[in-house]
Amino acid sequence: MLKQYTFKELSTSALTALVTRNADDTHAIQDVVQQIIADVRQDGDTALLSFASKFDKVDLEKLYLDKADIEELAMTITRDQQRALEIAFQNIHKFHSSQMRRERTVETMPGVKCWREPRPIERVGLYIPGGSAVLPSTLLMLGVPARISGCKEIVVCSPPQQSGKINGFVAYCLQLLKIDRIYLAGGAQAIAAMAFGTDTIPKVDKIFGPGNQFVTKAKSVVQSMTNVSIDMPAGPSEVLVIADETANPAYVAADLLAQAEHGPDSQAVLVCTSDTILAAVDSKLEEQLQILPRAEIAKMAIANSYAVKVDDLQEAMQFSNQYAPEHLILETDQWESLTRYISNAGSVFLGHLTPESAGDYASGTNHTLPTSGYARSYSGVSVDSFVKKITFQHINAEGLNHIGSTVEILAELEGLHAHKNAVSVRK
Amino acid sequence: MLKQYTFKELSTSALTALVTRNADDTHAIQDVVQQIIADVRQDGDTALLSFASKFDKVDLEKLYLDKADIEELAMTITRDQQRALEIAFQNIHKFHSSQMRRERTVETMPGVKCWREPRPIERVGLYIPGGSAVLPSTLLMLGVPARISGCKEIVVCSPPQQSGKINGFVAYCLQLLKIDRIYLAGGAQAIAAMAFGTDTIPKVDKIFGPGNQFVTKAKSVVQSMTNVSIDMPAGPSEVLVIADETANPAYVAADLLAQAEHGPDSQAVLVCTSDTILAAVDSKLEEQLQILPRAEIAKMAIANSYAVKVDDLQEAMQFSNQYAPEHLILETDQWESLTRYISNAGSVFLGHLTPESAGDYASGTNHTLPTSGYARSYSGVSVDSFVKKITFQHINAEGLNHIGSTVEILAELEGLHAHKNAVSVRK
């Protein structure tokens, strides 16, 4: 089923083409998004209510649900479901808590002390997609590090369902996160509201979260219009599986399909050292697709995907690093010796028993990850994404004595005499 | 000299206006930058040579200087200047080295192990401004963390001087950093070259560095055109000084002027609890301006600046946090008890003997910092800016047993059955 290429036979330009995900940046989307942003800036809440009616097919009385509403909705899910969300919450909390660490003070010269201290970003906006797939896991992945970081104001936006509510899973996650309110706004209009503020929805300093093309375009547009920042640019989700002859074809096929079912534009890449395994994976793909509810979507994604035959695992790593996958799965007994060669990836799943879906939900790592090759320069979301690290320095008389003339000489050679004088005047 | 406001008397809108730095985003700049980028993409090196002729007034034979050229230029500076650059290099290196730390593995459930490992961004581009102020310190501030992080390819671009060379200070810093080549390209054309690559200048994954309006606009434009990332958005430099009755007016004035001499659009804000000190600072400003070579520039910046009278240091911190300054100086005996109230700032200078110029050059902290209120959500440049933190996870049979049903339940409730199957198939 998978188109197949051989690594050795790829020209440089063919290789570049293979690892390039098309941005598909149509002006049509840009224009729609610009108009929505302009409307929200001008009409605020009124625009949001009208977009809810237009896009979400619901006439809202108010633009948010409060604590009582959330409590009521959270009770509608089963105890098993609650328990699964709790375990995910706990694991994510445990792993992300380990990312908050005090750094030591460095005395660069006697009397010159420097250090960094984290400070939470005060107001953060979390976008939780709704529509066909409602993703309570995304709320956990963004809400947990926001809570650990100590953000003062956590604004959550999600499109209303036709009932004018949200689903019970998202409501239960809000309770776990001790967030008492959720704003009923979706799409580009939610992003605009968080970037500029309306009477109801507060303006935030940074916007997080995945979404469709309109949401991601809106994030990039507001970032260039006002001083709000965003977690990262986003494109369709993707996985790259490296498999050798020790791989189990049924596991590999299942992992490729888990990626493929996200959307028709998802990409699942198999890099494999063994023709036997390649063929076996193909037949397992056929088999597993039969029983998949989202088979139509997955088939389109598989058509958009491919396999690369390599001679050995070193070649596999070469291809993978050039691709820079959001998710990388190493389905080989040799995973331990391979990790050091990984230079570009969002999150990595090691060995035969670590499916990517574990990381999507509950292993503890974050599932908000760089796509489209951005893993070359971006990290996934972590506690770091919700804090600034402010540098501090303190110099005493001894320190000024040690560092003074250095600063004076450097200021002078850069022609900045007032910089020099700020030292001289203190001597 | 400084315009003066009283904190208590400011309306919410007046306060917002005061802390807002105007973006001044003219379409004229946008259009020029777009055209330069298009030219570089189309004509590559030829375009760069022609821009050097047009903007830098020099006809270059080649677009770079190599090791021998750099050695020759580095010898033209004095031993004292070399020594000052060495001390700056060492202090910056010492502080930034402390930012590289191994993180521990977290076992979120028995058999489920998660951790993060840093990996250098492979190809980074450093832009070093030239023109009126040539800034070797910027090369150190970007080059040192790039080297510590282990970036494979460090591309440095700086506009050529009319001699077709660079100055000896920049050359000496290149030697300290063991960088053997510098590309002679400045302005938006240098940014375009690093974003898209030319025959001579390699394409990079992330672009760092300050610059004029054309450079910063070009960074923001290429970021939206291709998957290159940038260090941060940039605006004019700024300082906010908090002073109480323990402050030395001459020190305060010197710090304000050190900021003001950067450019006419720089801003120096004084937040002060004491009318006596305010008046004394004003007279020291007059006095120090007399002997300043860049007095004309500084005067324009001072006209663009202001003082805010506050009742106490708590009010001062309130204002400062709303302003979110790039540089914050606490000229008060109480600095130690104030630091915990700082929520938004780039870099902080504590006490009476810590001038901002120390941090600009040699204390060890980075001087590439968020301006224009971006300190609300951005950190300054650090080793973190040159690495990705990749998450890893490994699950064994015991772990899959512990986490399996949680993942299955969550995948099912999100309607993602292939995600569920990736676990089920492994059980």
Side-chain angles (χ1 to χ4, degrees):
Chain A
M1 303 194 67
L2 282 168
K3 283 189 290 280
Q4 199 177 314
Y5 303 91
T6 303
F7 185 71
K8 278 267 188 302
E9 292 165 7
L10 291 170
S11 66
T12 310
S13 61
L15 183 56
T16 304
L18 264 193
V19 302
T20 302
R21 279 72 111 198
N22 35 2
D24 216 13
D25 187 15
T26 67
H27 275 286
I29 287 182
Q30 169 97 18
D31 293 346
V32 171
V33 164
Q34 297 272 19
Q35 190 54 54
I36 290 173
I37 293 171
D39 287 352
V40 172
R41 289 188 75 177
Q42 192 184 302
D43 298 329
D45 288 347
T46 312
L48 294 176
L49 290 168
S50 129
F51 285 126
S53 171
K54 183 174 173 190
F55 295 127
D56 307 310
K57 314 289 177 210
V58 53
D59 293 318
L60 296 174
E61 282 169 27
K62 59 183 189 344
L63 278 167
Y64 61 89
L65 299 178
D66 59 20
K67 197 175 178 185
D69 301 322
I70 291 166
E71 259 171 26
E72 198 182 315
L73 289 164
M75 286 190 309
T76 62
I77 70 173
T78 70
R79 184 64 201 123
D80 276 355
Q81 290 167 334
Q82 292 183 346
R83 184 79 196 124
L85 290 168
E86 282 161 27
I87 291 172
F89 172 88
Q90 284 157 10
N91 287 355
I92 298 165
H93 199 281
K94 198 166 176 182
F95 180 59
H96 286 74
S97 294
S98 77
Q99 294 163 0
M100 278 296 265
R101 302 199 316 170
R102 218 187 139 75
E103 299 188 3
R104 69 189 169 86
T105 296
V106 178
E107 195 160 5
T108 51
M109 294 178 118
V112 180
K113 287 183 182 166
C114 304
W115 68 96
R116 291 199 299 181
E117 292 182 26
R119 291 289 188 277
I121 297 174
E122 292 184 305
R123 303 167 301 176
V124 296
L126 316 183
Y127 184 76
I128 312 303
S132 72
V134 180
L135 305 174
S137 56
T138 298
L139 178 52
L140 292 180
M141 291 294 175
L142 301 177
V144 169
R147 271 280 173 250
I148 291 172
S149 306
C151 301
K152 269 190 209 161
E153 184 154 24
I154 301 176
V155 175
V156 181
C157 282
S158 194
Q161 302 192 300
Q162 282 183 35
S163 60
K165 310 257 161 134
I166 52 167
N167 77 26
F169 310 120
V170 171
Y172 193 71
C173 292
L174 289 169
Q175 287 196 311
L176 291 173
L177 292 162
K178 303 197 194 323
I179 295 173
D180 289 342
R181 179 179 281 206
I182 182 168
Y183 296 95
L184 300 169
Q189 58 273 25
I191 304 303
M194 292 192 281
F196 295 99
T198 71
D199 287 343
T200 302
I201 300 184
K203 170 180 172 28
V204 303
D205 300 315
K206 188 169 182 178
I207 297 173
F208 295 80
N212 60 24
Q213 291 176 83
F214 295 94
V215 169
T216 56
K217 173 55 78 180
K219 282 168 68 184
S220 116
V221 170
V222 296
Q223 180 187 28
S224 69
M225 286 176 79
T226 181
N227 60 2
V228 70
S229 60
I230 65 170
D231 49 357
M232 66 185 83
S237 192
E238 65 208 18
V239 72
L240 187 147
V241 178
I242 293 179
D244 66 5
E245 68 288 350
T246 68
N248 182 320
Y251 300 178
V252 173
D255 291 334
L256 295 173
L257 288 176
Q259 192 57 55
E261 76 173 338
H262 271 299
D265 52 1
S266 291
Q267 195 167 60
V269 176
L270 172 59
V271 181
C272 189
T273 59
S274 153
D275 283 320
T276 320
I277 298 288
L278 268 174
V281 170
D282 246 2
S283 91
K284 287 289 174 187
L285 278 175
E286 296 269 16
E287 202 179 302
Q288 293 180 15
L289 262 171
Q290 309 288 328
I291 49 157
L292 204 59
R294 292 166 73 102
E296 286 316 305
I297 291 174
K299 271 182 204 162
M300 287 189 273
I302 290 294
N304 177 38
S305 300
Y306 58 86
V308 178
K309 172 68 169 44
V310 289
D311 282 348
D312 53 36
L313 290 171
Q314 285 299 327
E315 266 190 23
M317 284 310 315
Q318 266 181 58
F319 184 84
S320 176
N321 284 329
Q322 292 209 46
Y323 187 89
E326 178 190 15
H327 304 102
L328 170 62
I329 317 185
L330 302 187
E331 307 204 30
T332 156
D333 290 349
Q334 309 294 315
W335 63 266
E336 203 153 8
S337 62
L338 277 192
T339 58
R340 90 185 76 151
Y341 299 107
I342 298 168
S343 49
N344 300 320
S347 194
V348 185
F349 302 80
L350 300 168
H352 304 294
L353 296 181
T354 314
E356 186 228 299
S357 54
D360 283 342
Y361 292 114
S363 65
T365 61
N366 209 288
H367 78 199
T368 313
L369 297 165
T371 55
S372 308
Y374 279 106
R376 296 185 193 101
S377 58
Y378 277 86
S379 309
V381 162
S382 72
V383 164
D384 299 340
S385 316
F386 290 88
V387 302
K388 299 95 63 174
K389 293 194 177 170
I390 300 179
T391 49
F392 289 84
Q393 52 237 288
H394 179 260
I395 303 179
N396 63 19
E398 185 195 9
L400 199 65
N401 197 30
H402 274 97
I403 206 173
S405 63
T406 296
V407 175
E408 287 174 314
I409 292 168
L410 294 175
E412 175 122 28
L413 69 80
E414 288 194 355
L416 297 173
H417 294 267
H419 280 64
K420 178 182 179 184
N421 189 52
V423 170
S424 315
V425 76
R426 285 172 160 95
K427 275 185 158 177
Chain B
M1 302 195 70
L2 283 167
K3 283 190 290 280
Q4 198 178 314
Y5 303 92
T6 303
F7 184 71
K8 279 267 189 301
E9 292 164 6
L10 293 168
S11 67
T12 309
S13 62
L15 182 57
T16 304
L18 264 192
V19 303
T20 302
R21 279 74 109 197
N22 34 2
D24 216 13
D25 186 16
T26 66
H27 276 286
I29 288 181
Q30 169 97 20
D31 293 345
V32 171
V33 165
Q34 298 272 18
Q35 190 53 55
I36 290 173
I37 293 171
D39 288 352
V40 172
R41 288 188 75 176
Q42 193 186 301
D43 298 330
D45 289 346
T46 312
L48 294 176
L49 290 168
S50 129
F51 285 125
S53 170
K54 183 174 172 191
F55 295 127
D56 306 310
K57 313 289 177 210
V58 53
D59 292 319
L60 296 173
E61 282 171 27
K62 60 182 187 342
L63 278 167
Y64 61 88
L65 299 179
D66 60 21
K67 199 175 178 184
D69 301 322
I70 291 167
E71 260 170 26
E72 197 183 315
L73 289 164
M75 286 190 307
T76 62
I77 71 174
T78 70
R79 184 64 202 123
D80 274 356
Q81 289 167 335
Q82 292 183 348
R83 183 79 196 122
L85 290 167
E86 281 161 26
I87 291 173
F89 172 87
Q90 284 158 11
N91 287 355
I92 298 164
H93 199 280
K94 198 166 176 183
F95 181 59
H96 286 74
S97 294
S98 77
Q99 293 163 0
M100 279 295 266
R101 304 200 313 169
R102 219 186 137 76
E103 300 189 2
R104 68 190 171 84
T105 297
V106 178
E107 194 159 6
T108 51
M109 293 178 117
V112 180
K113 287 182 183 168
C114 304
W115 68 95
R116 292 199 297 181
E117 291 181 27
R119 290 289 188 279
I121 297 174
E122 292 184 304
R123 303 167 300 176
V124 296
L126 315 184
Y127 184 76
I128 312 303
S132 73
V134 180
L135 305 174
S137 57
T138 297
L139 177 53
L140 293 180
M141 291 294 174
L142 300 176
V144 169
R147 271 280 172 250
I148 292 172
S149 305
C151 301
K152 268 189 211 162
E153 184 155 24
I154 301 176
V155 175
V156 180
C157 282
S158 194
Q161 302 193 301
Q162 283 185 34
S163 60
K165 309 254 160 139
I166 53 167
N167 75 27
F169 309 119
V170 171
Y172 193 71
C173 292
L174 288 169
Q175 287 195 312
L176 290 174
L177 291 162
K178 302 195 193 325
I179 295 173
D180 289 342
R181 178 178 282 208
I182 183 167
Y183 296 96
L184 300 169
Q189 59 273 26
I191 304 302
M194 293 192 281
F196 295 99
T198 71
D199 286 343
T200 301
I201 301 185
K203 171 179 170 28
V204 302
D205 300 315
K206 188 170 182 177
I207 298 173
F208 295 79
N212 60 23
Q213 292 175 84
F214 295 94
V215 169
T216 56
K217 174 55 78 180
K219 281 167 68 184
S220 118
V221 170
V222 297
Q223 180 188 30
S224 70
M225 287 175 81
T226 181
N227 59 3
V228 70
S229 60
I230 65 170
D231 49 357
M232 65 184 86
S237 192
E238 66 209 16
V239 72
L240 187 147
V241 178
I242 292 178
D244 65 5
E245 66 289 350
T246 67
N248 182 321
Y251 300 178
V252 173
D255 291 334
L256 296 173
L257 288 176
Q259 191 57 55
E261 76 173 339
H262 271 297
D265 53 359
S266 290
Q267 195 168 59
V269 176
L270 172 60
V271 182
C272 189
T273 60
S274 155
D275 283 319
T276 320
I277 298 288
L278 268 174
V281 169
D282 246 2
S283 90
K284 288 289 176 189
L285 279 175
E286 296 271 17
E287 203 179 301
Q288 294 179 14
L289 263 171
Q290 308 289 329
I291 48 157
L292 204 60
R294 291 166 74 102
E296 286 314 306
I297 291 174
K299 271 182 203 162
M300 289 189 272
I302 291 294
N304 177 39
S305 300
Y306 58 87
V308 179
K309 172 67 173 40
V310 289
D311 282 349
D312 52 38
L313 290 170
Q314 285 299 326
E315 266 189 24
M317 285 310 315
Q318 267 181 58
F319 184 84
S320 175
N321 284 329
Q322 292 208 46
Y323 186 90
E326 178 190 14
H327 304 101
L328 171 62
I329 317 184
L330 302 186
E331 307 204 31
T332 156
D333 289 349
Q334 308 295 315
W335 64 266
E336 202 152 9
S337 61
L338 277 191
T339 57
R340 92 185 74 152
Y341 298 106
I342 297 168
S343 49
N344 300 319
S347 193
V348 186
F349 303 80
L350 300 167
H352 303 294
L353 297 180
T354 314
E356 187 228 299
S357 54
D360 283 342
Y361 292 114
S363 64
T365 60
N366 209 288
H367 79 198
T368 314
L369 297 165
T371 55
S372 309
Y374 279 106
R376 296 186 193 100
S377 59
Y378 277 87
S379 309
V381 162
S382 72
V383 164
D384 299 341
S385 315
F386 290 88
V387 302
K388 301 94 63 175
K389 292 194 176 169
I390 300 179
T391 49
F392 289 84
Q393 51 239 286
H394 179 260
I395 302 178
N396 63 19
E398 185 196 9
L400 198 66
N401 198 30
H402 274 98
I403 206 174
S405 65
T406 296
V407 175
E408 289 175 313
I409 292 168
L410 294 175
E412 175 122 30
L413 69 81
E414 289 194 353
L416 298 173
H417 293 267
H419 280 64
K420 178 182 177 183
N421 189 52
V423 170
S424 314
V425 76
R426 284 170 160 96
K427 275 183 157 179

